[in-house]
Amino acid sequence: MKDIIRILIAPLVWLASFSAVYALHGLICGHGIDGTVFGFLSLPRMLMGAAYGAAVLVQLGLIWGLHSERFSSPTPFVRFVSRATGWVGLVAAIWSLLPTVTTTYCL
């Protein structure tokens, strides 16, 4: 059972972070949150950037954990697959959440 969790943890965390970041985007746009922070950065842009950064940092933490001796699997196949899905989760988080930081946040 632990091997299945090792393999699926990164894609599941990506799914949760994807849902959370775009839910935050919907809340920001739906409630008309606006304003400036630090004179040049808007509050919605800062919130979306922080959510993006947190999602990427969590994925990096998962990769670190999957590469550590404490959390890695004793079997080579599961170790390889879990690390591969960890990297896939990181790339998916970077790629799919990047538009929330680089594009306009509300139309």
Side-chain angles (χ1 to χ4, degrees):
M1 185 66 166
K2 289 182 183 178
D3 289 340
I4 292 173
I5 292 173
R6 282 184 184 104
I7 291 171
L8 293 177
I9 190 72
L12 290 175
V13 168
W14 167 77
L15 177 65
S17 64
F18 181 86
S19 300
V21 168
Y22 280 100
L24 176 64
H25 182 266
L27 286 173
I28 288 171
C29 292
H31 291 289
I33 298 173
D34 201 13
T36 57
V37 178
F38 304 118
F40 64 92
L41 187 64
S42 67
L43 179 63
R45 180 76 59 201
M46 187 182 81
L47 290 172
M48 295 304 292
Y52 174 77
V56 170
L57 286 176
V58 167
Q59 289 291 338
L60 285 171
L62 284 173
I63 289 174
W64 175 79
L66 291 171
H67 282 283
S68 72
E69 289 295 322
R70 181 176 180 193
F71 297 112
S72 66
S73 176
T75 60
F77 176 74
V78 174
R79 191 176 328 121
F80 172 76
V81 172
S82 64
R83 290 175 181 176
T85 58
W87 286 102
V88 167
L90 176 65
V91 170
I94 291 170
W95 183 254
S96 65
L97 299 177
L98 190 63
T100 62
V101 178
T102 59
T103 60
T104 57
Y105 50 90
C106 296
L107 296 176

